[in-house]
Structures are given as C-alpha cells and as structure tokens.
Amino acid sequence: MFGVATAVDPYFGLPLWVQAGFRGHLWWAYNLRHLDPLEGYVAARLKERHELPLTTGSMTNIARLPVWMKAEKSRDEVLRTIGRMRASAPATA
C-alpha cells in the first residue's frame, strides 16, 4: 500500500485499514472514530491548553503528536490527509 512499511495491529498482527502517507511518514488510525479528535484539534483555530499537574506524569494523545502536525501552517495539509484517510477506508473501519 505505501511501499514496504505498513502499520499493523499489535495484538493480531493484521494491517490497519486506515493509513496514508504524509510527508514521508506512514500515518495510521485504528478506525475512523480514531481520527475524530485529531481532526477536531487540527481544525480548531484556537487551541486551548490545559496544563496538567507535574505529579500526574501523563500526556494526552494530542500532546504526543509531532509539532509539525499540530502547527498552523500544516493545518490544510493535515485536514486533506484525514479526508483521504476517511474516503479510502472501508465502511466497517
């Protein structure tokens, strides 16, 4: 699908259906609902920041995304890629 590398489910070892190439990287999602929070965050013009106490030691999934993916200058390209991923995924994904 994207050359040699494809993302696989860590439990079953099967290829994930929702995948796209993005800036030389393989970008994947477990299902279409997995894309919803990412799409909402990227599409938002105002990004709210909720600081976590230092004692929790946890981060949200959005906070773990690469900076270039969250950057305003990447917004349109990221949203187009999400659209491609939604369009190419099977209805059951």
Side-chain angles (χ1 to χ4, degrees):
M1 180 182 298
F2 301 104
V4 177
T6 58
V8 296
D9 176 86
Y11 186 76
F12 295 107
L14 299 173
L16 297 174
W17 289 344
V18 184
Q19 299 184 31
F22 186 82
R23 294 188 177 182
H25 299 280
L26 179 62
W27 188 11
W28 56 269
Y30 283 112
N31 53 47
L32 296 177
R33 284 187 14 207
H34 191 194
L35 293 173
D36 293 342
L38 175 62
E39 185 174 33
Y41 180 83
V42 172
R45 299 285 181 195
L46 176 64
K47 310 288 196 269
E48 293 187 32
R49 207 179 262 183
H50 298 284
E51 297 295 330
L52 297 172
L54 294 175
T55 57
T56 64
S58 63
M59 296 173 62
T60 65
N61 288 336
I62 296 296
R64 292 181 182 145
L65 292 172
V67 172
W68 57 264
M69 192 180 282
K70 298 185 291 184
E72 182 180 354
K73 65 183 179 182
S74 300
R75 177 183 295 136
D76 292 338
E77 189 178 358
V78 170
L79 292 174
R80 276 193 303 274
T81 302
I82 292 172
R84 277 196 339 262
M85 291 170 82
R86 287 187 189 283
S88 67
T92 58

